[in-house]
């Protein structure tokens, strides 16, 4: 099996299909000699901010000599980046060899009462197998969906992290914040400490109850630790981290938005918990790592003339964060927004929020099974100056033609959309 065959086979699995339970993962882990037991893992769940928090924590650990594997989703540029070591994606050859070991098991499993594993289960198994064959200090595992029945929940981590809890995948995870929080809290393990950025009281209550039930010490943002957000400007967020163990000097993050200060703080507190467990980390080195941290498609500047920013605000909470970031950094500039979204998202609500910062809206679509048409988006748009384009490339070109010297183009919506536009612009 070569690389192209491996990726094609993965994508031919039951894409986007949810098959609750960990039985298939348990079956595959046993047949692979339990790779999940051969790694030292940190497990990260949450509605938004998982990827950024993983990146902050990776930079902190790697910056102090720790070798770190990361499992994230979705990918932005190449499929391989979902399985990375020290920021370097798995090679084509390594991926092909790893999938070559998974494929016969998948086909054998298909013949049992458990049925064929989903695409995400296959990718998770491949990641765990790959990481287990390397001498890594840590593996940061990001959940794909929820927590309780997510295929990554096969691991037993040394630390759990739950970022925020918001409204997303409600058709699967539940219709209330409490129900969604209950699914996220499913990653909490007996005696394993938890760091969380959950802010809504309904979510905090559910997570705290689960942590108490599991005897897991909980560190909550705004209670056991917090950050003073000092300023937004000059392409940086300036803040100070405060906890019982230490108060930092002024640090800066190049990931923009108040929400990224929270994500950075979650990673710092996670590092502090690991330090308490005996990991040799120096707090004075955290700031340098935070400043170096980068995560694509999160208010990322792709071009300077005209200033063009891409941001994967694919749900309500992500949209709130985008609006707040635009207000803090570009309140005095005209905003031209290029937007595409999926049909299972609360698009009308999200467009209502984006109206606050959008002077000219270009709605479009892209080649994806659940993508809304540009005309459907236009009908939902409350922005007075809205234009529809069936071709996303034309929408981007029109925005660039329209943009004046001080205008800002923001491309947002589905992360799948951001991925293809990012490739087009680069």
């Amino acid at each position: 099996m070569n690389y192209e065959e491996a990726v094609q086979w993965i994508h031919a699995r039951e894409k986007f299909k949810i098959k609750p339970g960990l039985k298939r993962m348990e079956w595959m882990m046993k047949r692979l000699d339990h790779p999940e037991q051969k790694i030292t893992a940190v497990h990260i769940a949450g509605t938004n901010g998982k990827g950024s928090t993983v990146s902050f924590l990776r930079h902190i650990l790697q910056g102090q000599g720790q070798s770190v594997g990361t499992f994230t989703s979705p990918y932005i540029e190449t499929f391989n980046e979902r399985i990375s070591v020290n920021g370097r994606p798995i090679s084509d050859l390594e991926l092909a060899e790893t999938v070559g070991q998974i494929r016969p098991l998948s086909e054998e499993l298909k013949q049992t009462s458990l049925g064929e594993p989903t695409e995400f289960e296959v990718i998770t198994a491949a990641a765990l197998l790959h990481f287990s064959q390397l001498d890594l200090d840590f593996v940061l595992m990001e959940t794909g969906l929820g927590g309780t029945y997510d295929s990554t929940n096969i691991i037993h981590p040394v630390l759990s992290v739950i970022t925020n809890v918001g409204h997303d995948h409600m058709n699967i995870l539940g219709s209330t914040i409490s129900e969604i929080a209950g699914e996220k809290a499913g990653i909490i393990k007996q005696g394993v400490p938890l760091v969380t950025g959950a802010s809504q009281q309904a979510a905090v209550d559910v997570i705290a109850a689960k942590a108490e039930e599991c005897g897991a010490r909980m560190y909550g943002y705004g209670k056991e630790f917090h950050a003073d957000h000092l300023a937004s400007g000059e392409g940086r967020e300036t803040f100070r981290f405060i906890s019982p163990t230490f108060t930092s000097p002024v640090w800066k993050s190049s990931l923009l938005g108040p929400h990224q200060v929270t994500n950075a703080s979650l990673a710092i507190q996670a590092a502090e918990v690991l330090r308490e467990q005996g990991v040799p980390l120096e707090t004075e080195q955290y700031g340098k790592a935070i400043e170096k941290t980068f995560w694509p498609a999160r208010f990322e500047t792709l071009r300077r003339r005209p200033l063009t920013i891409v941001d994967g605000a694919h749900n309500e909470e992500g949209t709130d964060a985008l609006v707040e970031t635009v207000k803090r950094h570009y309140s005095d500039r005209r905003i031209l927004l290029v937007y595409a979204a999926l049909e299972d998202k609360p698009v009308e609500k999200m467009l209502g929020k984006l109206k606050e910062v959008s002077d000219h809206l270009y709605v479009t679509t892209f080649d994806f099974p659940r993508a809304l048409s540009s005309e459907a988006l236009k009908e939902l748009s409350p922005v007075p100056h809205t234009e529809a384009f069936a071709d996303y490339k034309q929408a981007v070109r029109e925005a660039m033609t329209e943009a004046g010297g001080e205008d800002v183009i923001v491309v947002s919506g589905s992360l799948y959309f951001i991925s293809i536009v990012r490739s087009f612009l680069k």
Side-chain angles (χ1 to χ4, degrees):
M1 176 181 284
N2 61 30
Y3 172 75
E4 289 74 19
E5 291 169 338
V7 174
Q8 184 178 16
W9 179 79
I10 289 172
H11 289 327
R13 298 312 92 211
E14 297 185 271
K15 195 175 183 68
F16 304 122
K17 186 171 182 180
I18 305 301
K19 298 167 72 173
L22 293 173
K23 294 295 184 183
R24 287 172 302 281
M25 285 300 298
E26 290 170 353
W27 188 96
M28 286 192 289
M29 292 299 98
K30 183 177 180 181
R31 294 295 299 272
L32 292 168
D33 194 27
H34 292 291
E36 82 283 6
Q37 297 177 7
K38 299 173 184 177
I39 61 172
T40 301
V42 176
H43 204 183
I44 299 96
T47 303
N48 294 93
K50 297 188 295 294
S52 297
T53 302
V54 165
S55 191
F56 278 123
L57 184 54
R58 175 180 75 79
H59 279 81
I60 288 173
L61 294 171
Q62 192 181 334
Q64 299 198 43
Q66 304 290 314
S67 55
V68 187
T70 53
F71 179 64
T72 56
S73 60
Y75 67 89
I76 300 299
E77 291 185 340
T78 66
F79 179 86
N80 304 43
E81 70 195 49
R82 299 184 67 171
I83 304 171
S84 297
V85 174
N86 293 334
R88 185 186 298 274
I90 186 173
S91 71
D92 291 356
L93 178 60
E94 289 172 322
L95 183 64
E97 289 178 345
T98 303
V99 173
Q101 295 179 66
I102 303 292
R103 181 173 180 171
L105 296 181
S106 173
E107 293 173 347
E108 185 179 343
L109 184 55
K110 184 178 181 179
Q111 304 305 316
T112 74
S113 59
L114 296 173
E116 182 181 22
T118 65
E119 179 186 41
F120 191 71
E121 287 172 334
V122 165
I123 299 169
T124 304
L128 290 169
L129 180 59
H130 179 65
F131 293 141
S132 72
Q133 295 168 343
L134 305 174
D135 186 20
L136 300 175
D137 293 304
F138 289 98
V139 171
L140 311 182
M141 295 287 295
E142 178 187 318
T143 61
L145 180 65
T148 303
Y149 299 114
D150 189 82
S151 62
T152 62
N153 209 24
I154 198 74
I155 64 173
H156 192 90
V158 296
L159 172 65
S160 304
V161 179
I162 299 175
T163 58
N164 72 341
V165 176
H167 299 87
D168 203 7
H169 302 295
M170 295 168 68
N171 58 322
I172 299 168
L173 301 180
S175 59
T176 68
I177 289 295
S178 294
E179 289 174 337
I180 296 170
E183 290 300 313
K184 309 291 185 187
I187 72 166
I188 301 172
K189 302 295 192 302
Q190 194 69 36
V192 176
L194 167 73
V195 174
T196 181
S199 57
Q200 297 189 55
Q201 195 57 51
V204 173
D205 289 345
V206 169
I207 293 169
K210 180 65 174 181
E212 183 176 2
E213 176 189 328
C214 292
R217 184 174 179 183
M218 176 169 147
Y219 301 82
Y221 183 84
K223 187 176 181 182
E224 283 76 20
F225 67 101
H226 70 280
D228 284 344
H229 189 186
L230 305 176
S232 298
E234 300 180 350
R236 296 286 187 273
E237 302 294 350
T238 305
F239 69 100
R240 182 180 286 112
F241 175 85
I242 300 167
S243 76
T245 54
F246 81 103
T247 297
S248 77
V250 173
W251 286 338
K252 296 185 177 183
S253 167
S254 59
L255 288 183
L256 301 185
H259 58 294
Q260 295 294 9
V261 172
T262 303
N263 293 335
S265 300
L266 291 176
I268 294 164
Q269 182 58 43
E272 281 296 277
V273 174
L274 294 176
R275 190 167 69 87
E276 291 173 6
Q277 293 179 356
V279 180
L281 298 174
E282 298 177 359
T283 57
E284 57 267 26
Q285 299 295 319
Y286 294 167
K288 187 186 301 182
I290 294 299
E291 193 155 358
K292 285 182 177 179
T293 299
F294 167 77
W295 194 238
R298 276 63 173 185
F299 212 79
E300 177 190 6
T301 298
L302 288 187
R303 295 188 179 183
R304 292 290 176 184
R305 291 184 179 276
L307 181 58
T308 305
I309 294 166
V310 294
D311 186 86
H314 62 285
N315 55 30
E316 288 186 66
E317 285 72 22
T319 303
D320 286 335
L322 171 59
V323 169
E324 178 66 18
T325 305
V326 170
K327 287 179 177 179
R328 282 180 175 265
H329 287 271
Y330 300 110
S331 60
D332 58 341
R333 312 272 283 272
R334 191 166 75 116
I335 306 299
L336 311 181
L337 177 64
V338 181
Y339 190 80
L342 303 183
E343 63 186 14
D344 57 349
K345 301 292 183 178
V347 176
E348 193 166 5
K349 286 184 180 179
M350 295 192 292
L351 286 172
K353 297 172 187 289
L354 290 167
K355 180 185 177 183
E356 297 179 37
V357 295
S358 180
D359 297 291
H360 192 148
L361 176 62
Y362 303 81
V363 291
T364 188
T365 190
F366 61 111
D367 185 16
F368 195 80
R370 294 179 282 122
L372 277 171
S373 71
S374 56
E375 290 301 326
L377 282 170
K378 185 176 181 179
E379 289 181 13
L380 294 172
S381 173
V383 179
H385 200 168
T386 298
E387 294 183 69
F389 296 87
D391 182 351
Y392 75 88
K393 293 180 181 179
Q394 186 183 357
V396 172
R397 291 190 184 108
E398 287 289 333
M400 289 189 165
T401 301
E402 172 71 17
E406 293 300 308
D407 294 342
V408 181
I409 297 172
V410 177
V411 183
S412 189
S414 164
L415 270 170
Y416 298 102
F417 173 60
I418 297 304
S419 176
I420 62 171
V421 173
R422 194 171 178 273
S423 297
F424 170 61
L425 289 173
K426 292 186 79 172

